[in-house]
Amino acid sequence: MTAPRAAWVRMAWVPVLLGWVLGCGAQLLQPALWPAERYALAATAGGVGLLVAGWRARPGGWWLAAVAAAVLGWGQVGWRAADLAARLWPVALDGSVWQARWQVVDLPRQHPHGHAVRVQVLALQAVGSTPAAPPPLPIDVWLHQRDDRAQTPAPWPGQVWQGQLRLRQVQGSANPQGFDAAAWGWRQGLAAQAATVGSPQWVRHDPWAYPVAHARAVVRAAIQQRLAQRFDDATVGLLVALVTGDQASIPAPGWDVIRATGVAHLVAISGLHVTMFAAAAVLGLGRLWRAWGRRRPTLLLRWPAPVVAAWAGLALATAYAVFAGWGIPAQRTLLMLAIVLALRLAGRGWPWPVTWLTALTAVLLIDPWAWLQAGFWLSFVAVAVLFGQGRDVVFGTDGGTRVRAAALQLWRSQWVVTLALAPLLLAWFGQVSVVGWLANLAAVPWVTWGITPLALLGVAVPPVLDAAAWLAQALWWLLERLAAWPGAVWHRPAVPWPLVALATVGAYALVQRGPWLWRAWGALLLWPALAWRPPAPAPGTFEVLLPDVGQGSAAIVRTARHTLVFDTGPPMGQRTAAERVLLPQLRALGARVDAVVISHDDSDHASGASLVFQAWPRAARWHATPSAWGDASAALPCRAGAAWTWDGVPFTFIHPPPDGAWAGDNERSCVLVVGQGEAAAVLPGDIPATVEQAIAAAYPGLRAGLLVAAHHGSRTSTSDVWLDTLRPRVVAIQAGVGNRYGHPHPQVLQRLQARGIDVVSTQRCGAITWRSAAPQRWDCARDQRRFYWQTGAAATAAAAPAPAPQ
């Protein structure tokens, strides 16, 4: 390469990388995909433009190279997305049952009713007629395998099974805040999700088909078998996570402690673990190579010990990262180590921003949808912050010879990273650990130089696992006490992403070394995010948010200064909708809950209510049978006639009657009317048609702008009399996609259609927001955040064939 061209490459390198990154990110904003041919054409044009810019190598031509790289990045991501979309499970076949044969390809996860595991479907045969053909096989599927009375053995990597599967597109709840299952499935390359029908049969076992997953399963089983009888699940799960990367082994209460203390980065296979493993490998291999070189001096002349140790250490660290799940922090660390290693062996050096940006670009080349993952941003921003503090913080150039210097570096790095990441943590999770800097001061060296090395050594020498478990148990003891401190976690309302980006820049500037006069500008950039408050309804008006909680019911009612929660939703795996959906949404709104109404005791309405009570202990509690909640004095009976007013908005219970004439649980459901007239909202619980008729007779003048369909749209509710009395403008239905009850029932939909009433469901819409100020309109969460990987889920929810109605 000539000197002018080499100089041009150096000048254009960073713009080209930035163009690539921005092009990849811009493609992810598309609401719908183009045909694959268009993306291929764009990628070709970008590649040709990049070659032309490099061939001409004219001064100032870097901008053309940057634009070409952006077009190339856009095109290649779009082409990959179009290819993946072509392999998704067809909407027309959603919910259909097939005779299938599949092979387990990854570690299974235990859940309350069986196992969840990634499998590759090898063969499919339709059970009955099908309106469309399945995608070409094999396809990757996320399978939920239920335990049954036949004591079906747990799935194991490499095993081949056969049986009946019910297949659907990967989809989940759609709420303004919370986990996006559709994006997760897209990133994983999953064509569908499936559930076993009946009892599947194990056909054969081929451990060499997926040797890494099989080895991980063997190691996980060995750790659990040795420690399960003597240590708690959290301790065992932590060691399994550190060795194999199986974070699902840590129970849900353990994750609550981890989030509250801000040590999640240590539980993942983080850069610290990989760097530690690489450093130990380089040191050990270097000594072994030198010892061998004393016997064969020509080896050291041909292959110097530093070079052999460096590359071998990097190879072993890569093997460890692959074995432990190949997460983004591990990818980032390995790429940076490889770049730094190559440059040092070549006698060169890059400024850290160039190294950082090159590694970021390489991660997006491997997985362009890493843009959507919180860990991607947290990992790279944390490394940028540490790089900005100086090389001694990142690489430890002082060698650790002075304990005081090392302690000061650890102290500074922890509070610097905690402050710098706070805006992103608040944006992604709505909370930041106040005690995180203190927890990390103890946990970072404890995990990195204590638990992790012993756990890895324990794979080969099992007795060493006991020492690692004792250290892990001591760590849990400390973290649990820190998490129990009042104010250990700081919650903030959700902030718009432009303010989050501004605050992140401000936090980064604030923690840099330099004059305080310049760093103070960072505090000014933080202020808009800190001062942000979500808009509230105007006095005299209110809004109703119906979260997407699957097959269950929950509602959030907000006035200008007050918030009421009506029901708390169903269980969701090891958690509840209250924990997964309601609490994050309430905190994102900056709401203080003033009252909680539990319409009745069914689990799909009341699961997780205690969590809401615990989060807002001063909130009034209403229930049809207060004695069901232990201390009856702490709850109020929601009898007809009980009423109050918040911010000019009336709240009135119209059922059950004071005489308690209704015996059944559904019949006693609390029925709450918010507002009045045609701008009122009626929340009816699970009342059947007989109760609807009784209420219509008692309140003939009752009207509604919003009616939530009772019992999720069951045919036993939403009767003709009820609809003719209330004359609602909008009927909202909360029901799970493809639920086994067939909700909403076709007869209910026919009644609504015959009256010209607008119908909106969480199945198609996700979370629904309705406002009394505009009673004829509503907002859908899926419509507000529409991306191409979510359109399949929304279309499926609208078009999926319903099961046999009940």
Side-chain angles (χ1 to χ4, degrees), residues 91 94 171 737-738 761-765 782 791-800:
V91 172
D94 209 64
Q171 54 197 310
V737 175
S761 71
T762 55
Q763 294 170 313
R764 192 217 68 81
C765 194
R782 282 198 172 99
T791 53
T796 298

Side-chain angles (χ1 to χ4, degrees), residues 5-256:
R5 191 177 302 278
W8 185 90
V9 169
R10 286 194 297 270
M11 182 178 295
W13 184 253
V14 170
V16 166
L17 295 182
L18 285 174
W20 175 277
V21 171
L22 294 177
C24 292
Q27 195 282 328
L28 302 185
L29 298 177
Q30 283 192 283
L33 287 173
W34 296 344
E37 295 78 7
R38 292 188 183 180
Y39 291 115
L41 182 62
T44 302
V48 171
L50 195 58
L51 291 175
V52 170
W55 176 69
R56 298 179 67 182
R58 291 185 176 180
W62 56 265
W63 65 268
L64 176 61
V67 172
V71 175
L72 176 60
W74 170 287
Q76 66 90 21
V77 174
W79 184 82
R80 290 168 65 177
D83 177 68
L84 178 57
R87 292 184 281 113
L88 294 180
W89 189 251
V91 172
L93 297 180
D94 209 64
S96 56
V97 178
W98 297 73
Q99 186 68 29
R101 188 173 76 254
W102 63 90
Q103 188 168 31
V104 180
V105 303
D106 206 348
L107 283 178
R109 300 180 183 178
Q110 182 75 36
H111 62 74
H113 305 293
H115 293 84
V117 64
R118 185 188 184 107
V119 303
Q120 189 172 79
V121 175
L122 306 175
L124 285 173
Q125 183 178 356
V127 177
S129 60
T130 59
L137 300 179
I139 56 174
D140 286 348
V141 171
W142 186 251
L143 174 65
H144 294 268
Q145 180 170 312
R146 293 181 175 273
D147 291 338
D148 55 19
R149 296 180 181 179
Q151 299 298 317
T152 303
W156 197 268
Q159 286 182 343
V160 177
W161 294 71
Q162 66 181 14
Q164 290 190 347
L165 299 179
R166 187 184 301 275
L167 290 116
R168 302 183 184 279
Q169 286 191 347
V170 178
Q171 54 197 310
S173 58
N175 292 287
Q177 303 293 323
F179 177 66
D180 188 342
W184 172 82
W186 188 275
R187 285 195 64 245
Q188 298 295 320
L190 297 174
Q193 62 184 12
T196 54
V197 178
S199 300
Q201 297 178 345
W202 175 51
V203 177
R204 69 177 189 274
H205 187 196
D206 184 5
W208 294 107
Y210 298 94
V212 175
H214 185 269
R216 294 174 68 199
V218 170
V219 170
R220 183 179 68 173
I223 294 174
Q224 293 173 337
Q225 183 177 3
R226 180 173 182 86
L227 302 177
Q229 300 300 322
R230 292 174 294 152
F231 296 93
D232 57 86
D233 292 343
T235 298
V236 178
L238 177 60
L239 296 183
V240 169
L242 292 175
V243 175
T244 69
D246 179 23
Q247 300 178 36
S249 295
I250 301 176
W255 275 109
D256 294 336

Side-chain angles (χ1 to χ4, degrees), residues 288-317:
L288 287 174
W289 192 254
R290 289 186 182 92
W292 197 3
R294 294 189 188 100
R295 299 182 179 181
R296 296 172 178 261
T298 55
L299 286 177
L300 294 179
L301 294 175
R302 182 176 300 179
W303 296 297
V307 176
V308 172
W311 287 115
L314 182 64
L316 289 176

Side-chain angles (χ1 to χ4, degrees), residues 223-525:
I223 294 174
Q224 293 173 337
Q225 183 177 3
R226 180 173 182 86
L227 302 177
Q229 300 300 322
R230 292 174 294 152
F231 296 93
D232 57 86
D233 292 343
T235 298
V236 178
L238 177 60
L239 296 183
V240 169
L242 292 175
V243 175
T244 69
D246 179 23
Q247 300 178 36
S249 295
I250 301 176
W255 275 109
D256 294 336
V257 173
I258 289 170
R259 295 188 187 98
T261 53
V263 297
H265 65 101
L266 292 175
V267 176
I269 304 301
S270 68
L272 283 174
H273 303 151
V274 175
T275 303
M276 176 272 296
F277 190 91
V282 169
L283 181 62
L285 291 172
R287 290 183 176 180
L288 287 174
W289 192 254
R290 289 186 182 92
W292 197 3
R294 294 189 188 100
R295 299 182 179 181
R296 296 172 178 261
T298 55
L299 286 177
L300 294 179
L301 294 175
R302 182 176 300 179
W303 296 297
V307 176
V308 172
W311 287 115
L314 182 64
L316 289 176
T318 303
Y320 169 54
V322 171
F323 177 82
W326 194 236
I328 284 180
Q331 294 178 33
R332 180 259 303 161
T333 302
L334 285 169
L335 289 168
M336 286 189 172
L337 288 175
I339 293 170
V340 172
L341 175 61
L343 290 173
R344 287 187 175 181
L345 292 178
R348 297 181 179 181
W350 283 355
W352 74 259
V354 179
T355 303
W356 180 87
L357 184 58
T358 303
L360 185 146
T361 305
V363 169
L364 290 179
L365 180 61
I366 298 171
D367 178 11
W369 295 280
W371 265 87
L372 309 174
Q373 191 176 10
F376 172 78
W377 294 106
L378 295 173
S379 176
F380 275 98
V381 170
V383 170
V385 170
L386 292 176
F387 265 127
Q389 298 302 305
R391 294 175 63 88
D392 57 321
V393 177
V394 180
F395 296 108
T397 55
D398 66 350
T401 56
R402 295 184 178 181
V403 175
R404 182 173 177 273
L408 288 176
Q409 289 175 9
L410 179 62
W411 168 271
R412 177 174 175 79
S413 65
Q414 291 311 312
W415 76 261
V416 161
V417 170
T418 299
L419 179 58
L421 294 185
L424 288 175
L425 289 170
L426 289 173
W428 283 103
F429 307 111
Q431 66 180 45
V432 64
S433 174
V434 177
V435 300
W437 63 274
L438 182 59
N440 278 282
L441 279 176
V444 167
W446 199 254
V447 172
T448 304
W449 302 108
I451 299 174
T452 302
L454 290 177
L456 292 173
L457 181 60
V459 174
V461 187
V464 179
L465 276 175
D466 298 346
W470 285 113
L471 291 180
Q473 199 167 50
L475 178 65
W476 279 118
W477 181 89
L478 174 63
L479 296 180
E480 287 169 355
R481 276 144 188 82
L482 289 175
W485 283 7
V489 179
W490 182 40
H491 298 281
R492 285 286 300 162
V495 178
W497 278 105
L499 295 185
V500 172
L502 195 66
T504 302
V505 174
Y508 182 84
L510 191 61
V511 301
Q512 294 307 300
R513 293 173 174 173
W516 273 104
L517 182 62
W518 289 102
R519 294 163 66 183
W521 286 99
L524 295 178
L525 297 179

Side-chain angles (χ1 to χ4, degrees), residues 769-786:
T769 302
W770 178 90
R771 299 173 179 86
S772 64
Q776 73 282 357
R777 298 174 54 191
W778 64 86
D779 294 329
C780 290
R782 282 198 172 99
D783 293 338
Q784 293 177 339
R785 311 189 299 171
R786 185 171 293 279

